[in-house]
Amino acid sequence: MTKPVQARSFDAIAAAYDAHRPSYPPALFDAVEELAGLPLAGARVADVGAGTGLGTARLYECGARVTAVEPGDGMAEQFRRGLPDVPLVRGDGNNLPLRTGSMDLITYAQAWHWTDPARSIPEARRVLRPGGALALWWNDCDPAVEWLVDQENRMRVFFGVEVPAVPSHEARFRAALPDGLDFRTRQVAWSRRVPIDAHVACLATHSDFLIGDPVEVRDFFDRERALLTALFPDGEVEDAYVVSLAVAHP
């Protein structure tokens, strides 16, 4: 399945995505301001691949004059329900529907990997004002938490992906960054406590599961739910995350 088709798999589960995917901690946006060298309050920001608006909402709360860019029908519809006061335009990072030099900051929250850097970097350069910044970030499970690493390895086995001998969070983050830009990076750790069912529901919103065999996926989640219930008999887990942030002035 091609990358654009896999990315659009989210449209069918937009409400679940909005309900169960994690948001982002306030410290992340402090780091964005520091590395970008500009305050978010009053800044003209394009949040690209905005999805249901999990990152857009935080930027808006920081006072940014944010415009969301989203290609998917279902995600855009969910976005408009949750953030009716925030402008939304349809498009993607490879062909931004924005004026040249119109933005102080372009952000990609969990979305850069869906772009073609050969197209999305020139587009970012075109849309940013001189001195503007490009910020990319990803929420990932904390590699220092053993049960989360074990779960990620079980997922890798399920998808037929090689399990690394040592958790390689930093290496995977670096590999996701495009060549040719001078990125400054920061990692922000945070956590949230959720019921086991909510944790499993969050896993189920990931695109690899969305395009998998429904029976096999259901069986995987049944096993996972049973395993977690044995590990956490109180019925809740502490989801621990590390947000990896990279900021450049392209």
Side-chain angles (χ1 to χ4, degrees):
M1 181 171 287
T2 63
K3 181 185 285 190
V5 173
Q6 186 171 356
R8 297 295 179 86
S9 66
F10 296 120
D11 284 324
I13 53 93
Y17 188 106
D18 193 53
H20 297 298
R21 279 292 184 102
S23 182
Y24 305 98
L28 169 65
F29 300 95
D30 294 338
V32 170
E33 290 185 319
E34 179 186 342
L35 298 186
L38 58 86
L40 288 173
R44 299 168 299 169
V45 179
D47 187 34
V48 186
T52 64
L54 295 175
T56 317
R58 304 289 83 80
L59 291 162
Y60 184 69
E61 290 167 2
C62 290
R65 295 157 53 195
V66 60
T67 297
V69 180
E70 169 56 38
D73 294 339
M75 299 294 263
E77 183 179 349
Q78 184 68 38
F79 181 102
R80 290 188 174 108
R81 281 197 289 267
L83 294 168
D85 296 328
V86 177
L88 171 68
V89 295
R90 306 299 300 279
D92 60 46
N94 297 329
N95 187 20
L96 292 170
L98 301 168
R99 288 184 295 105
T100 298
S102 61
M103 294 293 160
D104 302 306
L105 175 67
I106 295 175
T107 61
Y108 282 84
Q110 212 84 10
W112 176 260
H113 51 284
W114 299 118
T115 76
D116 173 5
R119 300 168 64 192
S120 54
I121 290 174
E123 276 293 86
R125 288 185 171 127
R126 179 185 66 79
V127 169
L128 286 170
R129 64 158 171 82
L134 172 66
L136 322 176
W137 68 79
W138 288 267
N139 251 335
D140 291 301
C141 293
D142 190 332
V145 178
E146 184 177 0
W147 75 267
L148 287 170
V149 172
D150 289 344
Q151 181 175 77
E152 183 170 306
N153 287 340
R154 289 192 296 273
M155 291 166 60
R156 284 175 169 268
V157 170
F158 179 76
F159 294 124
V161 177
E162 183 179 354
V163 176
V166 178
S168 53
H169 173 268
E170 179 69 17
R172 280 180 285 165
F173 168 52
R174 292 289 180 180
L177 299 180
D179 295 330
L181 295 179
D182 184 16
F183 282 103
R184 299 175 64 195
T185 63
R186 184 73 53 83
Q187 296 198 322
V188 180
W190 71 288
S191 67
R192 62 173 187 169
R193 192 162 184 82
V194 297
I196 289 171
D197 282 346
H199 173 83
V200 173
C202 178
L203 294 181
T205 66
H206 288 262
S207 62
D208 288 331
F209 286 118
L210 297 177
I211 63 173
D213 179 270
V215 174
E216 294 179 0
V217 169
R218 183 176 63 249
D219 288 347
F220 176 85
F221 287 136
D222 286 345
R223 295 192 301 271
E224 203 62 28
R225 190 177 290 103
L227 190 154
L228 293 177
T229 299
L231 282 176
F232 304 103
D234 65 351
E236 291 191 336
V237 298
E238 188 79 17
D239 274 342
Y241 296 97
V242 175
V243 186
S244 298
L245 168 68
V247 178
H249 292 81

